[in-house]
Amino acid sequence: MKKYSGPVEAFLDHKFTHLIIGGGTAGLVVAARLSENPDLTVGVLEAGPAAFDERRINVPGRFSESLGSEYDWKFETVAQAGVNGRTLPWARGRVLGGSSALNFMVWNRGNREDYDAWEELGNEGWGWDGLLSVFSFLFSFFSFSGLFCSSKTIECTARINSAAALAINWALLQIWSVAIVLKQRTRPFFKKSEHLHRPDADHQTRHQSYFDTEFHGADGPLQTAYCLEYGTPHQHWHATLNKLGVDINRSHCSGSNVGVWTSIGSVDAATRERSYSATAYYRPNADRANLVLLTEAVVREVVLERQEGEWAAKGARFVHGKKEYTVRTEGEVVVCAGSVQSPQLLELSGIGNPRVLQAAGIDIKVDNPSVGENLQDHLMTAMIYEINPEIMTSDAIRADPILADAADATYAASKSGIRTIVPSSFSYLPFSHIVPPSDLSTLASSLLKDYTASTSPRDRILAQRFLSEKPLGQIEFIFDVGNYSAYFTGLPDKRYATMLTMLQYPFSKGSVHIPAMTDGQATTSENKPVIDPQYYAGPGGQLDFLMMVAAQKFAAQICATEPLSNIILSRVFPPSASASNIHGQESEETKKGEEDFAPFVRDATVTDWHPVGTCAMGSDNHIPTHNHIDNGFVVDGRLRVYGVRGLRVVDASVMPLQISAHLQSTVYAIGEK
């Protein structure tokens, strides 16, 4: 196997113009795009190893097997009062490719309104149109002040004199020429990363694998595809949701994810292997002389020095092979360590809340209490159902070496079978579909008083979104074979399936910070960060809890509805009063939606592994208090850290508000932008 990372001495010999900390989902995008310019030299420091031959990562149907492995940082939260004092494991990728090597390969986007809210917070160009339509600002210019410029005739008309018209005509010609050149080099950021392998008409009809070519990339590095085949539950998914008044969404990546649909996966259609940032962005470019990678290098801090009266990023101090080194850069340092470790690294470098830094024994360089705050995560529950024993599941394969060998042989011979199947049965719904609007208004009036009157623009957006009459994907439902719950242990001779329910726009907001020093020793990156998502805390958290309870009722209703209910024997977690019944014969309470799921939500809520917001981007533009610190921002709209020259953060931590989607396609777009 090719050795992708050279010795540390060779790494240090380079004169870097850019230093990337974290070779994960976004970090390798940034590194690949910067190194397209031969005049730049890009160094990448990654804490984990390269794992290009790891089958637990590469084989799509083995998703989840790498969680808790040597490729996982194995973080966990502090005890959460809102979930009965439980601590929850938080998987984060410690491998080249980061969490894109560990995720479940879901490829989707949020609603248009999700990204427009980012722009509302002063982040120009980060709205839906800015992320999807790079050239919208150019074409808008041509209609400014009544001017019109034709690309064919270059004829301009205006209510101005002829001399001015000639001057403007010349200027527009120059702009148009630049636009043509730029158009050849750039693509919309959402589409730029993607190469969707489009299913044929027969596949679309049989599996509802619909898409709109306008909203998908066709030549990006990251390969995406629909599964070649699907399990029995997926064959019943759309018809079941249709019976419950949910329409099929034929273009779920075009700005609205509301409805029922078949998901795309980040899978290479040719090899039927996972496509992730290491294989898509790094491996094809590994031979570039100006792209230099060092794996198994744990960064201790960003080196900051005073320059012309302000702090400037000049390099990084890191540990490799139990020895400490310092690498310098002539240009910028780009932190791409994710929503947990990017704020950790800023704080270790002296950027953050003075109270946190002093307690950790870290010298204060830049006072910004917003670092590590604003943590938002998708909350998730997993109901478990016993299903027909003839249906093959991933649990059965893991438990039976003979079945596993057979599945591996099929995959190796034909790239088919259960090893190629990833979660695909999805539905996003507004609260109004599962809760009467009058009840929503009553809840909002009693629990959102502080939010509607808040001076925080983010709080106001959350409140407006909750009460919006426009359908948004506020709750996500996924049905898949296998037992996804850590709180239920199945019997070896049974087959199970899981109904996942995920809250998309949480009011619950927590933090990630470095811990206080111990025994007089200053905190280092060896000390795991303190992760406190504050699940279900405060008035907003109480609203999160009530909506999750209501969503369980609809999830149970889905599983009690034909044709999906025809393959279900009973619900086993949480235990159902009809546990001994077959063919989905649910209790009268379940049928009427009267079953109380509150204890289950307290006892079984977990993370969906989608943390964002801990280095939130925003600016003073259009913000009432006109102070980025007061408004909770860490980076500006160009992802530059406030108070430091030459330092940026590029990953999910910059997302100021949570989106209604799995994160990876958006994180790739952030890296591209």
Side-chain angles (χ1 to χ4, degrees):
M1 174 182 143
K2 176 177 177 179
K3 187 175 180 63
Y4 288 93
S5 178
V8 65
E9 293 78 13
F11 183 85
L12 294 171
D13 282 343
H14 289 82
K15 291 185 177 180
F16 294 114
T17 60
H18 293 79
L19 188 63
I20 313 296
I21 299 177
T25 309
L28 293 181
V29 177
V30 176
R33 294 308 185 189
L34 286 174
S35 61
E36 289 176 353
N37 184 342
D39 295 329
L40 303 179
T41 302
V42 181
V44 180
L45 292 168
E46 165 55 39
F52 290 111
D53 296 328
E54 177 56 71
R55 291 177 57 79
R56 288 174 294 172
I57 291 174
N58 295 339
V59 179
R62 297 186 67 172
F63 65 89
S64 82
E65 290 187 29
S66 56
L67 301 180
S69 72
E70 66 271 31
Y71 304 118
D72 184 352
W73 281 97
K74 303 176 190 175
F75 293 128
E76 64 177 23
T77 70
V78 298
Q80 296 295 292
V83 293
N84 288 338
R86 289 180 292 126
T87 60
L88 303 178
W90 265 37
R92 297 283 90 196
R94 185 173 184 166
V95 61
L96 189 66
S99 294
S100 72
L102 271 61
N103 66 26
F104 288 16
M105 290 159 279
V106 177
W107 188 264
N108 70 332
R109 299 185 193 130
N111 298 293
R112 167 187 286 270
E113 292 79 3
D114 299 352
Y115 306 101
D116 288 347
W118 296 2
E119 192 159 39
E120 190 177 336
L121 294 173
N123 300 301
E124 185 177 356
W126 286 94
W128 174 266
D129 289 333
L131 286 167
L132 194 69
S133 304
V134 176
F135 284 87
S136 60
F137 76 97
L138 286 170
F139 302 130
S140 295
F141 177 84
F142 294 138
S143 62
F144 180 71
S145 297
L147 290 170
F148 174 78
C149 181
S150 166
S151 62
K152 293 182 179 180
T153 63
I154 317 296
E155 293 176 352
C156 295
T157 61
R159 295 187 182 95
I160 50 179
N161 61 51
S162 58
L166 287 172
I168 292 173
N169 184 34
W170 181 88
L172 292 175
L173 276 170
Q174 306 311 306
I175 294 173
W176 188 260
S177 298
V178 171
I180 296 300
V181 173
L182 287 174
K183 192 171 184 178
Q184 295 171 353
R185 294 183 179 179
T186 64
R187 294 183 296 279
F189 303 113
F190 270 135
K191 297 166 65 174
K192 190 175 181 181
S193 62
E194 181 189 18
H195 181 169
L196 173 64
H197 296 265
R198 302 168 184 180
D200 59 27
D202 179 63
H203 190 284
Q204 293 179 52
T205 300
R206 287 189 295 117
H207 303 299
Q208 292 78 43
S209 52
Y210 303 119
F211 62 96
D212 186 335
T213 56
E214 179 184 352
F215 297 98
H216 291 279
D219 57 358
L222 202 287
Q223 307 298 305
T224 64
Y226 286 96
C227 292
L228 284 176
E229 54 194 283
Y230 297 88
T232 302
H234 186 71
Q235 298 169 22
H236 302 316
W237 179 246
H238 291 72
T240 299
L241 271 295
N242 291 163
K243 279 193 173 182
L244 295 172
V246 181
D247 293 332
I248 294 174
N249 186 332
R250 292 173 175 263
S251 182
H252 67 268
C253 285
S254 61
S256 174
N257 58 23
V258 173
V260 55
W261 37 270
T262 302
S263 181
I264 302 167
S266 51
V267 174
D268 190 322
T271 64
R272 287 294 152 183
E273 292 186 343
R274 176 194 296 266
S275 182
Y276 65 112
S277 64
T279 58
Y281 281 92
Y282 175 71
R283 188 165 60 182
N285 304 310
D287 290 331
R288 290 178 182 169
N290 66 333
L291 176 57
V292 189
L293 168 69
L294 183 65
T295 57
E296 300 179 88
V298 178
V299 175
R300 290 286 193 239
E301 66 174 328
V302 177
V303 175
L304 302 182
E305 297 176 359
R306 297 294 287 181
Q307 183 174 309
E308 298 178 359
E310 58 185 335
W311 290 105
K314 292 298 181 180
R317 188 166 59 87
F318 66 93
V319 173
H320 179 79
K322 298 184 179 180
K323 292 184 179 181
E324 190 172 288
Y325 303 89
T326 298
V327 59
R328 296 184 66 83
T329 176
E330 298 173 350
E332 292 195 347
V333 175
V334 186
V335 176
C336 305
S339 293
V340 173
Q341 287 156 294
S342 284
Q344 176 196 32
L345 189 54
L346 292 188
E347 290 181 340
L348 290 172
S349 306
I351 306 167
N353 188 325
R355 178 182 53 80
V356 172
L357 302 184
Q358 288 172 349
I362 304 296
D363 292 337
I364 302 166
K365 295 175 181 174
V366 177
D367 178 350
N368 188 337
S370 301
V371 173
E373 296 294 322
N374 190 50
L375 172 64
Q376 302 154 65
D377 187 26
H378 288 153
L379 294 82
M380 179 171 73
T381 57
M383 286 185 182
I384 310 301
Y385 289 82
E386 185 184 349
I387 58 175
N388 289 343
E390 297 83 9
I391 297 174
M392 185 58 65
T393 69
S394 55
D395 302 332
I397 290 177
R398 281 193 288 269
D400 189 331
I402 295 176
L403 290 177
D405 288 345
D408 289 340
T410 300
Y411 178 77
S414 61
K415 299 300 178 185
S416 62
I418 194 170
R419 292 296 202 199
T420 67
I421 299 175
V422 297
S424 301
S425 304
F426 282 66
S427 180
Y428 283 74
L429 295 174
F431 289 145
S432 59
H433 196 96
I434 63 175
V435 176
S438 58
D439 290 354
L440 290 177
S441 297
T442 301
L443 285 171
S445 62
S446 62
L447 294 173
L448 291 183
K449 295 176 182 176
D450 292 340
Y451 286 84
T452 53
S454 174
T455 58
S456 164
R458 277 178 291 190
D459 287 350
R460 289 201 310 275
I461 289 171
L462 283 172
Q464 292 165 3
R465 185 180 282 164
F466 183 86
L467 297 170
S468 173
E469 294 183 0
K470 184 168 184 178
L472 298 174
Q474 294 168 307
I475 286 283
E476 177 187 10
F477 299 97
I478 303 175
F479 192 86
D480 195 28
V481 295
N483 171 18
Y484 279 46
S485 177
Y487 303 106
F488 172 77
T489 302
L491 298 174
D493 59 339
K494 303 289 187 180
R495 300 287 170 86
Y496 301 100
T498 301
M499 169 57 74
L500 297 173
T501 303
M502 288 83 88
L503 181 70
Q504 297 302 293
Y505 301 128
F507 286 93
S508 305
K509 191 163 55 177
S511 63
V512 175
H513 291 298
I514 56 176
M517 59 181 173
T518 56
D519 299 325
Q521 297 295 313
T523 302
T524 74
S525 56
E526 290 298 313
N527 305 113
K528 288 190 174 182
V530 178
I531 302 171
D532 185 7
Q534 290 283 300
Y535 292 140
Y536 301 138
Q542 177 65 9
L543 188 58
D544 290 343
F545 176 75
L546 293 173
M547 298 317 300
M548 281 291 277
V549 171
Q552 309 308 310
K553 298 178 182 180
F554 190 79
Q557 190 177 1
I558 292 173
C559 295
T561 302
E562 293 183 337
L564 185 63
S565 64
N566 293 333
I567 67 166
I568 292 175
L569 303 183
S570 67
R571 194 181 75 221
V572 294
F573 183 74
S576 170
S578 59
S580 61
N581 293 347
I582 60 174
H583 304 307
Q585 300 297 314
E586 298 289 348
S587 65
E588 288 302 314
E589 289 82 2
T590 299
K591 290 179 180 179
K592 296 177 181 178
E594 296 173 356
E595 191 171 2
D596 182 11
F597 287 100
F600 169 68
V601 172
R602 290 285 185 208
D603 291 337
T605 291
V606 295
T607 174
D608 195 20
W609 304 294
H610 295 162
V612 306
T614 50
C615 296
M617 67 172 167
S619 75
D620 302 341
N621 298 339
H622 313 300
I623 304 298
T625 62
H626 300 287
N627 186 302
H628 64 267
I629 292 178
D630 290 346
N631 286 304
F633 301 131
V634 178
V635 300
D636 65 13
R638 296 180 63 185
L639 309 187
R640 298 172 300 192
V641 175
Y642 285 112
V644 184
R645 290 172 55 182
L647 180 62
R648 300 182 198 248
V649 177
V650 183
D651 54 37
S653 72
V654 306
M655 296 164 58
L657 283 168
Q658 185 61 276
I659 61 172
S660 174
H662 295 244
L663 300 185
Q664 70 163 331
S665 75
T666 297
V667 176
Y668 280 114
I670 290 171
E672 290 282 8
K673 186 171 173 64

